[in-house]
Amino acid sequence: MADCKKVAVIMGSDSDFPVVSGAVKTLKSLEIPVEVHVMSAHRTPEQAAQFSSAARENGFGVIIAAAGKAAHLAGVLAAHTTLPVIGIPVKSSTLDGLDALLATVQMPSGIPVATVAIDGANNAALLAAQMLSLSDDRLASRLAQMKKEMAEGVAKKDAELQAKIEAL
């Protein structure tokens, strides 16, 4: 929708796309404009800094950053903007993503990064949507509908389970 702020999804490598694609799908399903880019905190630090410095002026409301291993991307982006930054630690071949989780969550005072679970792209998208919904009533309604549908799905599964138990 035209008046909705955009969400930037930035990944440290294109190999992170299988993880972040879930976030992109969720954002699109909520009708939130999304841009996806590859930037590296270590290999293209100037590009990352320039992007996040100009993000607010370029119509973004939230930045989601996904990175594995050294995982400094979210912190670099957060250092150059006042927009909320959500970090997705990506599971890599080393340490099962624990290194990325710690690098993303352990930020110095004054540079906050909200951090979701390792490979938690869907929750990153939902958190971004909830942040944007503070000033977008239509988005808030779409989120409320999504939560209602989740609850209905759980109730249906419980009813099916109760029927199986009754049949035992």
Side-chain angles (χ1 to χ4, degrees):
M1 65 186 354
D3 58 347
C4 187
K5 295 269 186 199
K6 298 183 287 186
V7 173
V9 177
I10 310 298
M11 35 187 169
S13 169
D14 63 343
S15 65
D16 299 329
F17 186 69
V19 171
V20 303
S21 64
V24 174
K25 287 177 189 173
T26 297
L27 292 165
K28 286 185 172 192
S29 76
L30 290 166
E31 301 175 33
I32 298 171
V34 59
E35 283 188 25
V36 184
H37 299 282
V38 175
M39 294 176 202
S40 170
H42 304 106
R43 292 181 295 274
T44 61
E46 295 87 6
Q47 180 188 10
Q50 289 171 356
F51 181 88
S52 60
S53 294
R56 182 181 299 275
E57 293 77 26
N58 289 328
F60 292 95
V62 179
I63 299 172
I64 296 174
K69 296 188 179 182
H72 295 118
L73 182 59
V76 167
L77 296 171
H80 293 91
T81 189
T82 57
L83 292 176
V85 175
I86 303 168
I88 305 171
V90 176
K91 183 178 179 177
S92 65
S93 58
T94 6
L95 303 176
D96 287 331
L98 182 59
D99 50 343
L101 173 64
L102 294 174
T104 305
V105 77
Q106 290 295 112
M107 294 303 301
S109 181
I111 310 296
V113 170
T115 306
V116 295
I118 296 168
D119 290 350
N122 190 52
N123 274 351
L126 290 172
L127 182 56
Q130 289 175 333
M131 290 172 175
L132 294 176
S133 77
L134 291 170
S135 60
D136 185 333
D137 291 339
R138 290 178 289 181
L139 178 55
S141 293
R142 289 193 297 276
L143 283 166
Q145 180 62 33
M146 178 183 276
K147 291 226 177 196
K148 180 182 174 194
E149 290 169 5
M150 280 194 300
E152 290 169 352
V154 170
K156 180 181 176 191
K157 288 178 183 181
D158 182 60
E160 291 168 357
L161 175 65
Q162 297 310 312
K164 287 180 186 176
I165 301 237
E166 190 64 33
L168 294 178

